[in-house]
Each structure stands twice: as C-alpha cells, then as structure tokens.
Amino acid sequence: MTNLKSDIETEIELETGAVNWKKNLIFAWLSQFLATVGFSFSSPFIPFYIKTLGVNDPASLNMWVALYTASGYFAFCIFAPIWGFLSDIYGRRIMMLRANFVCAFCVVFMAFVPSPDWLVFVRFLVGIFSGTVTASQILVSANTPREHRGFALGTMSSAVYSGMMGGTFMGGIIVDSFGYRTAFFASGITLAIAGLMVLFGVREQFSKSASLSEKLHSLQLKLPNFGIVWMILLLVLLMGFVGRFTNPYLPVLVEKINGPVKAATWTGLIASLSAIAGIISGSFLGWLADRTSAPKVAMWSALLAGLLLIPQGLANTLTMLTTARFGMVFFAGGLDPIFQIWLSKSTPDNKRGLFLGWASSAKSFGWFLCSLTSGAVAISLGARWVYLCAAVMFILMIPVIKFTMVLFKSNADSQSGKP
C-alpha cells in the first residue's frame, strides 16, 4: 500500500511540475552525450593502441583485444547491481556524478600504461566505476511521467549513439594526427565536463525509503524474486551478448579491407556514420514501442539487424561495410531502449534502481560473454566470421522474444481473471 501511494505521489509531482522532467531529460541527455564522446575518443581504437605496446602477431592482438574488452565488462557486471542498490538509497544523481568523475580520472591513466596487461588492469578499474548510461536511465525513468517514459528512454539511447558519432569521428582524427595520449586526455576532460553538466543541471525527485544499515540488514544473498521479469532480464543479457559482438573488431576489418593508412580515421568515420542510425532509431523505435507493441517491434528489429550483419562479414569495400552497418545499427540500436521500456513498465517506481541495476548487470554479463566468445571466433576463424556468427545470434533472439511476450500475456490474463 505504501509503495502504491509513493508511486501515485511521484506521478502527481511529475505531472504538476514539481519535477521538471523535460529539463532533466535535456541535461541528462547532454551529460550522456558528452560521456559517450569521452569514451569514444579512444576506446574504438584500442586494437591499434595495443599494437603500439609491442603486440603485432594477429592472434596475440585478438587475444589482448578480447581480454581488454572482457575485463571492463566483467567488472561492470559485478558492480552494476551494487550501484543500483545504492542508488535506491542515496539517489540516482550521485551515481551519475560518481561514474563521470571517477572514470574521467581513470581513463587518463591509459595514456601512461607500459604494457597490454596494465592496460587491461586500468580497463578493469574503469569498469568498476562506470555506468553513466545506467545511472542516467534510472534517473530519467524515475523522474518522467509514465506515459512519456518510452520517448524519454529512447531519447537517452539517442544520446549514446550521438556521442559515439561525435567521439569516434573526432577521436579517429585526433589519434592519426596527435597520437593516442592526446586522445586519452581528451577522453578524461570530456567525461569531467559531462559530470559538471549533472552537477549544475540535473535535479532529482527522490525520497529515501531506508538507510544503508536497514537495507543491508534485510539483504539476502540470493537471487531476487522477480518472477517473469527475469525473462526480460534474459533478453537484456542476450542483447548485450549479441549487440556488441562485432564492435571490437571493426578496426580490424577496416584494416583488412583498406590497409593500415589512416585506419583510425576511417574506423571513426564509419562508426560515426552508422551512429546516426542509432540516433534516429532510439527515439523512433521507442516512440513506436509506446504506441504499438514493444515485443513485436523488438522481433522485427532483431531479424533485420541479423540479416544486415551478413553483408558486413562479406564486405570487400568500405562503402559496402558502411552501408550495411548503418542499417544494422538502426535496428539493433532500437532493441536496448525497447527492452528498457518493457522493463520499466513492468516494475514499480520505488524499486526501479534495483531492477535497472540488475538489467545493467545482465547486459554487462552478456558483454563479458560476448567479448570472450567473439575473441575465440576471431582467433580461430578470423574477424569476418565474428560478423557472420553475430547474424545468426540476432535471428535466434526472435523465438525468445516471442516466448517472453506469450508468457507476459498469459500472466496478465490470469491476473485479470480471463480464461
């Protein structure tokens, strides 16, 4: 009863303007845009940076790329539920500040690492404290009226792709013109500015429901009883697994097709052009999911994203690679906000940090598994097979989405008393 009352009061405050959700959305979007720009200045070009640390053998390079990617995702997987748990106690805004400022400090250290193992270690530290996307999603979701949450979460997704577009494009030019150290410094500065956006522009309607000691006292070391919501979390995990399967090997494929000359610039250009598709798809498919059926939009998105991965794996020109990747990112980019919308509409407001924290953990565990699996595929079969395997896995998501949709419909019918 108390939770229901709290939800109703929050909705009234949001609707009457006690919380300016539109202003929060704007500043949260700007912060997330800058945070993604910061990470994108350097992270897409890590395979090239690892070469400068003395790794030139293709198999060894693929191994270190996989370890670098996996270390960050593994750390984030472990700590995302902890940050989600703490956000329900102390608020979501402070989590955004933590993620931006601490990562700004850590990323700069990458410019000074003497070897690949140190680079992997620093990436692990960044993974522990990162989570700008999760923190902003939780804050925006909790401070936006229910009927506008699909649009708001889709808009936040567009911030990620906009940041990727700007960051990878400028990052590629910075790397080729001034070197990797400058790119890492630019990353740190941009992440710090993103934190200042939150500090001075974002406000939060948040009521502390319990103290840390009370929460810890009631904490049980077992999986929460989320019921059928676990199926949505499974979809989030699968999306994490498939969605970033090819990302670490885009620079490798670009170099295979076009050679080493200006490889970072071309990688950044292709990534930034395809990110335009993500900018469009986040808001559009989120809006479409609000007005039709989130599961049906997700099924069509998974199918078309999978089909468009095939020509990427077979590409022998940068034009073919860029065109296919643009279409793939459009449909794949809509899946994450769709699952977030589905999750947001299936969970109570006062526990949204917990649920989205677990969703982030599920997604990052998928990222961790994908980095190991894609690395194994790249080492044993080559970078092109990474794209073809990802195509199959996108298509295999469709029956899981369908089963989850049927399960939720059956549960809704049983609760309403329908036969």
Side-chain angles (χ1 to χ4, degrees):
M1 183 68 181
T2 304
N3 291 345
L4 177 60
K5 182 181 178 182
S6 175
D7 289 354
I8 293 172
E9 288 175 348
T10 299
E11 289 292 325
I12 292 172
E13 289 170 342
L14 292 169
E15 291 291 354
T16 56
V19 176
N20 192 334
W21 68 270
K22 293 180 181 178
K23 178 184 175 183
N24 268 358
L25 179 61
I26 291 171
F27 276 95
W29 190 95
L30 288 171
S31 173
Q32 187 55 60
F33 168 78
L34 289 171
T36 311
V37 167
F39 282 117
S40 299
F41 268 134
S42 54
S43 58
F45 315 107
I46 287 299
F48 303 142
Y49 184 51
I50 292 175
K51 282 187 175 183
T52 69
L53 298 176
V55 179
N56 294 304
D57 176 66
S60 297
L61 177 63
N62 287 331
M63 181 196 72
W64 281 111
V65 170
L67 289 174
Y68 171 88
T69 309
S71 65
Y73 292 157
F74 179 71
F76 185 70
C77 173
I78 298 299
F79 281 86
I82 297 174
W83 299 128
F85 173 80
L86 292 174
S87 76
D88 284 335
I89 301 172
Y90 298 109
R92 289 75 190 226
R93 180 173 173 268
I94 195 171
M95 295 296 118
M96 295 175 70
L97 294 171
R98 175 264 306 163
N100 280 301
F101 285 128
V102 177
C103 287
F105 185 74
C106 289
V107 163
V108 174
F109 277 122
M110 291 186 178
F112 303 100
V113 296
S115 60
D117 51 345
W118 274 100
L119 181 66
V120 170
F121 173 72
V122 177
R123 180 65 183 94
F124 183 82
L125 292 179
V126 172
I128 290 175
F129 294 102
S130 62
T132 58
V133 175
T134 305
S136 61
Q137 283 178 337
I138 295 172
L139 186 141
V140 167
S141 176
N143 289 271
T144 301
R146 188 175 296 271
E147 67 273 15
H148 299 296
R149 283 177 187 162
F151 167 78
L153 288 172
T155 300
M156 289 304 300
S157 176
S158 74
V160 175
Y161 285 98
S162 300
M164 287 172 58
M165 179 185 68
T168 52
F169 178 71
M170 291 185 290
I173 296 174
I174 289 173
V175 165
D176 279 334
S177 302
F178 305 104
Y180 293 97
R181 180 166 291 184
T182 302
F184 286 122
F185 274 104
S187 293
I189 292 170
T190 310
L191 282 163
I193 295 173
L196 292 174
M197 281 284 181
V198 177
L199 185 64
F200 295 109
V202 175
R203 295 295 176 264
E204 180 179 21
Q205 182 69 37
F206 179 78
S207 299
K208 188 175 180 179
S209 59
S211 66
L212 177 60
S213 59
E214 290 171 336
K215 285 279 190 179
L216 289 174
H217 182 73
S218 62
L219 185 64
Q220 296 179 337
L221 296 178
K222 63 179 184 180
L223 291 176
N225 183 20
F226 287 165
I228 59 175
V229 174
W230 276 113
M231 287 303 300
I232 302 180
L233 296 179
L234 174 62
L235 287 172
V236 172
L237 186 153
L238 292 175
M239 182 57 209
F241 181 81
V242 179
R244 297 199 178 186
F245 204 81
T246 63
N247 286 9
Y249 300 97
L250 177 61
V252 178
L253 188 56
V254 168
E255 195 171 46
K256 281 181 177 293
I257 294 172
N258 204 58
V261 178
K262 295 290 183 181
T265 299
W266 281 112
T267 300
L269 181 60
I270 292 171
S272 62
L273 287 174
S274 59
I276 295 174
I279 298 171
I280 301 169
S281 71
S283 296
F284 175 72
L285 294 180
W287 172 85
L288 190 63
D290 270 341
R291 283 154 181 77
T292 56
S293 166
K296 289 181 179 178
V297 175
M299 284 190 286
W300 277 104
S301 296
L303 173 63
L304 294 170
L307 293 176
L308 285 165
L309 273 161
I310 297 172
Q312 288 183 68
L314 302 176
N316 52 17
T317 66
L318 292 182
T319 301
M320 183 177 178
L321 176 63
T322 304
T323 304
R325 193 162 186 84
F326 185 93
M328 183 275 290
V329 170
F330 177 87
F331 294 108
L335 281 171
D336 186 56
I338 287 171
F339 292 149
Q340 295 289 347
I341 292 164
W342 199 356
L343 181 65
S344 178
K345 291 183 176 181
S346 305
T347 57
D349 283 345
N350 65 309
K351 293 184 178 179
R352 186 149 295 117
L354 175 65
F355 280 95
L356 290 182
W358 273 90
S360 296
S361 184
K363 187 194 302 180
S364 59
F365 186 60
W367 293 341
F368 170 68
L369 293 178
C370 106
S371 60
L372 296 180
T373 308
S374 62
V377 172
I379 292 169
S380 58
L381 300 175
R384 291 185 182 275
W385 277 96
V386 173
Y387 290 81
L388 300 177
C389 289
V392 174
M393 289 184 287
F394 259 113
I395 295 171
L396 289 177
M397 284 184 65
I398 297 172
V400 183
I401 299 171
K402 178 67 174 177
F403 175 76
T404 305
M405 180 176 66
V406 172
L407 195 63
F408 267 79
K409 185 177 185 304
S410 175
N411 182 69
D413 289 344
S414 64
Q415 289 183 352
S416 63
K418 291 182 180 181

